[in-house]
């Protein structure tokens, strides 16, 4: 297990709130996830600022474009000194390979460790009817497995997936492959829009490498205490 597998999703629009939460949480979590809303609101400046404050950064922009464009965006993210970032596996093997190569090349050029480039398989908001709509005839699980295999073929070293997909993916992926799972609820199911959840301890036991946790930490009365309690529950 990585020493602190908690990634806190910083799903807040206000830059001041992101600053305040990061200062409080950076010392007690493994990384901070910056998603589309905060990035579109506050741009690369907030990434640099939170990184400078000592946080490991997971830049979750889920790139999906032609290989050349994605490779350049990944290289630009490496220059922001992020430690993890996401691309869509449905962009195809050439796109994923170009992205991984760009991450390695730019990091080596800057003398930085290469970030962990994570592939997103099927979004958890999609069901089989949505896949069918896109002309994909495979079942959901088969499609997740298929995209995971393509990610391995392209040289990626990690995936984002539902904690419920972890056991089946662990059976087919290389041993050191990183699996990053949202849909984590420390208090068990219920309360908001995540339907298929696991507790932090269950997700780690199932084989998750990293846990993405948003509202149970940032919306808690005491975010730092909430993160510390989750870490303690894993011991
Ligand atoms: O607040 P909560 O813990 O539900 O936040 C989960 C985070 O993980 C959010 O940033 C959400 O966008 C992200 N995520 C997810 N499910 C996915 C992929 C990402 O919940 N399949």
């Amino acid at each position: 297990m990585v020493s602190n597998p908690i990634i806190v999703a910083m799903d807040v629009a206000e830059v001041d709130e992101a600053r305040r939460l990061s200062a409080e949480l950076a010392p007690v979590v493994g990384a901070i996830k910056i998603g589309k809303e905060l990035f579109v609101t506050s741009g690369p400046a907030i990434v640099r600022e939170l990184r400078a404050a000592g946080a490991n950064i997971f830049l979750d922009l889920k790139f999906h474009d032609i290989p050349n464009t994605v490779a350049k965006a990944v290289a630009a993210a490496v220059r922001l000194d992020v430690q993890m970032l996401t691309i869509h596996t449905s962009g195809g093997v050439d796109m994923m390979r170009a992205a991984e190569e760009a991450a390695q090349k730019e990091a080596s050029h800057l003398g930085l460790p290469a970030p962990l480039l994570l592939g997103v398989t099927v979004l958890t908001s999609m069901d089989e009817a949505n896949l069918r709509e896109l002309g994909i005839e495979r079942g959901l699980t088969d499609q997740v497995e298929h995209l995971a295999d393509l990610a391995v073929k392209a040289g990626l070293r990690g995936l984002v997936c539902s904690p419920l997909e972890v056991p089946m993916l662990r059976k087919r992926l290389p041993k050191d492959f990183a699996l990053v799972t949202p849909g984590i609820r420390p208090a068990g199911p219920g309360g908001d829009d995540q339907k298929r959840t696991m507790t932090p301890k269950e997700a780690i036991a199932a084989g998750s490498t990293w846990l993405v946790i948003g509202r149970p930490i940032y919306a808690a009365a005491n975010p730092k205490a909430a993160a510390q309690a989750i870490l303690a529950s894993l011991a």
Side-chain angles (χ1 to χ4, degrees), residues 57-189:
I57 303 292
F58 175 4
L59 188 63
D60 186 18
L61 299 180
K62 299 189 178 68
F63 295 140
H64 188 172
D65 210 314
I66 61 171
N68 182 55
T69 301
V70 169
K72 285 182 175 175
V74 166
V78 174
R79 290 195 289 278
L80 287 176
D81 192 18
V82 305
Q83 284 61 54
M84 305 167 101
L85 73 163
T86 43
I87 60 173
H88 272 284
T89 55
S90 50
V93 171
D94 289 349
M95 187 200 92
M96 287 189 273
R97 197 173 278 140
E100 181 65 37
E101 280 172 12
Q104 301 282 348
K105 196 169 154 203
E106 193 68 14
S108 131
H109 177 66
L110 297 171
L112 294 169
L116 180 60
L117 188 58
L118 299 161
V120 175
T121 57
V122 180
L123 293 169
T124 49
S125 54
M126 300 198 61
D127 60 17
E128 283 187 11
N130 297 132
L131 289 184
R132 211 93 344 108
E133 221 167 44
L134 294 175
I136 298 164
E137 296 301 328
R138 280 194 194 88
L140 198 77
T141 305
D142 287 352
Q143 179 67 0
V144 170
E145 288 181 341
H146 176 63
L147 291 170
D149 290 346
L150 295 185
V152 173
K153 187 173 168 193
L156 295 199
R157 291 166 294 127
L159 288 175
V160 181
C161 62
S162 154
L164 298 153
E165 293 162 357
V166 168
M168 69 97 169
L169 286 172
R170 274 281 165 239
K171 281 188 204 139
R172 59 198 296 132
L173 292 170
K175 205 166 169 286
D176 56 353
F177 214 80
L179 292 177
V180 178
T181 56
I184 305 296
R185 285 297 172 269

